[in-house]
Amino acid sequence: MKATRIYAPLSLRMEDIDQPSIGSEDVLIKVEACGVCGTDIHIYEGKAGIARYPVIPGHEFSGRIAAAGVEAARHVSIGDRVVIDPTVTCGRCIFCRSGRMHLCLEWSPIGVVRDGAFAEYVKVPVHLAYRIPDRVSFEEAALTEPLSCCIHGWDRLSPRPGFTTAVIGAGPIGLMHIQLARLSGASLIIASEPIRSRRILAEKLGADIVLDPFEEDLCEIVHRETSGVGVDIVIEAVGGARYLEESLKIASRGGKILVFGVAPEEDKVCVSPYGLYRSELTILGSFINPYSMDRAISMIASRRIDVRSLISHVIPLNRLEQALRRELKDSVKVIVKP
Ligand SMILES: [Zn+2]
Ligand SMILES: [Zn+2]
């Protein structure tokens, strides 16, 4: 089968390799669509600390069941259309055993630590495969995993309807957060994004005010629109110290900041303990997608969340490296069809 493997940072090769052999509880997936994520770019650039090389990346994928192990065959049929949760956990550590499996001490995600879906076939444990309705295309289904991560963020926030919010960064993730904010009852959504095509999408998908941070100052706009109070919820969907610092400036008293973007590991932020105390600020991390895959599939199937508009490119496997080098113009979500 064709597969794209990263051997070391910036060293990627497309090659012909054997199909993975499956165990009793595994299924073999014929990959139909796999989204390119910031994490894939980080693996390619050598900036994803957890990645193990060599690895076939790709963790946002859908496809058909091509083969099933003896035990797995009790739960699925050949040809089933499925989307995969890439989260492989140990089931034994204190976090797995206390309902927090996403914090697993031995987390080994597909497409990061184990071989992923930028290949014709990929092996996955059967319990991570979710059937998708016929009306959901494979391309749309490939956005289930990122959406399920965003849903977890909103589980963390538990917003009160009528809240005001600012979303920093309107890439695929920011654009999902904008839609979730609207569905959660936001009364004001302000989005900050430097790329014009993404700003147009942000407006289309529900942001009330969209600004270019190189032209306008987010703090000024938030203060103007909220009579100097700040927003109830800030979603940091870029990743980096300065975006968290900006979040701290625009959150209202009693506000919540969701740290969603993946920052460089060495980034540090200067925080005033007095400010946190006096303003009762809550800073929340949000990591991957516990117990939210089914809800993501439902929201895509019901079209409550528009993922189709986020797909800017559908490319063959041999153009993956172009996407990882950020060479595709005006890209939002790039989908690879191996
Ligand atoms: Zn991802
Ligand atoms: Zn565990």
Side-chain angles (χ1 to χ4, degrees):
M1 67 169 190
K2 277 184 293 174
T4 302
R5 194 170 264 161
I6 299 178
Y7 280 86
L10 304 180
S11 162
L12 173 148
R13 245 180 284 160
M14 191 160 143
E15 46 195 23
D16 235 310
I17 59 172
D18 291 340
Q19 280 181 13
S21 53
I22 55 171
S24 171
E25 295 187 13
D26 295 330
V27 284
L28 187 69
I29 307 289
K30 164 78 180 75
V31 181
E32 295 286 350
C34 183
V36 178
C37 172
T39 297
D40 299 313
I41 295 175
H42 289 156
I43 296 170
Y44 178 71
E45 293 174 342
K47 292 175 186 161
I50 184 188
R52 275 185 216 148
Y53 303 96
V55 69
I56 299 172
H59 59 273
E60 302 178 356
F61 61 105
S62 60
R64 287 183 191 276
I65 305 279
V70 176
E71 197 50 41
R74 294 174 49 218
H75 308 286
V76 292
S77 305
I78 305 301
D80 280 357
R81 303 171 77 248
V82 293
V83 65
I84 306 304
D85 178 357
T87 305
V88 180
T89 54
C90 76
R92 291 179 305 272
C93 74
I94 180 117
F95 298 101
C96 284
R97 287 179 168 174
S98 57
R100 296 172 291 168
M101 51 102 172
H102 60 301
L103 303 178
C104 174
L105 293 171
E106 286 169 53
W107 179 59
S108 61
I110 296 168
V112 182
V113 172
R114 299 159 179 250
D115 279 342
F118 288 129
E120 284 180 281
Y121 294 90
V122 57
K123 163 179 95 164
V124 306
V126 68
H127 72 276
L128 297 178
Y130 292 67
R131 276 195 198 83
I132 51 173
D134 288 340
R135 62 182 179 280
V136 175
S137 69
F138 287 117
E139 290 80 0
E140 290 171 291
L143 281 99
T144 305
E145 189 270 348
L147 178 58
S148 66
C149 292
C150 294
I151 291 173
H152 173 58
W154 287 87
D155 287 346
R156 301 273 291 146
L157 287 165
S158 52
R160 297 203 306 172
F163 66 92
T164 57
T165 185
V167 179
I168 303 176
I173 291 294
L175 292 165
M176 288 179 179
H177 278 303
I178 288 167
Q179 297 182 70
L180 287 166
R182 197 174 169 186
L183 291 170
S184 304
S187 61
L188 173 68
I189 304 172
I190 300 171
S192 168
E193 166 59 47
I195 299 173
R196 186 168 172 274
S197 54
R198 296 180 174 196
R199 286 200 302 275
I200 292 168
L201 275 172
E203 211 167 321
K204 175 184 159 189
L205 296 174
D208 301 292
I209 296 169
V210 183
L211 62 107
D212 175 352
F214 293 115
E215 299 282 329
E216 291 177 284
D217 182 46
L218 176 61
C219 294
E220 264 171 39
I221 288 181
V222 166
H223 286 262
R224 185 186 77 205
E225 294 298 321
T226 60
S227 312
V229 169
V231 287
D232 300 312
I233 289 175
V234 186
I235 313 275
E236 195 283 271
V238 181
R242 66 190 161 119
Y243 305 105
L244 181 52
E245 280 162 0
E246 192 166 40
S247 303
L248 287 161
K249 284 187 206 148
I250 61 174
S252 76
R253 288 189 176 180
K256 292 178 179 176
I257 297 169
L258 190 71
V259 181
F260 202 94
V262 184
E265 281 182 47
E266 63 278 11
D267 267 23
K268 297 277 185 294
V269 172
C270 192
V271 183
S272 151
Y274 180 80
L276 289 182
Y277 151 79
R278 183 62 186 88
S279 297
E280 282 203 343
L281 283 183
T282 305
I283 301 175
L284 293 162
S286 182
F287 183 65
I288 65 171
N289 60 340
Y291 315 110
S292 51
M293 283 290 287
D294 281 310
R295 286 179 285 159
I297 294 167
S298 301
M299 292 180 106
I300 291 171
S302 66
R303 316 279 181 221
R304 289 289 193 282
I305 297 283
D306 175 0
V307 290
R308 252 184 297 190
S309 296
L310 308 187
I311 300 172
S312 59
H313 295 70
V314 179
I315 59 170
L317 194 55
N318 61 13
R319 290 184 61 201
L320 172 64
E321 193 162 17
Q322 262 182 295
L324 297 178
R325 288 176 179 273
R326 308 171 199 252
E327 286 171 3
L328 301 177
K329 203 172 170 292
D330 279 335
S331 70
V332 183
K333 195 66 180 178
V334 178
I335 301 284
V336 174
K337 286 186 79 74

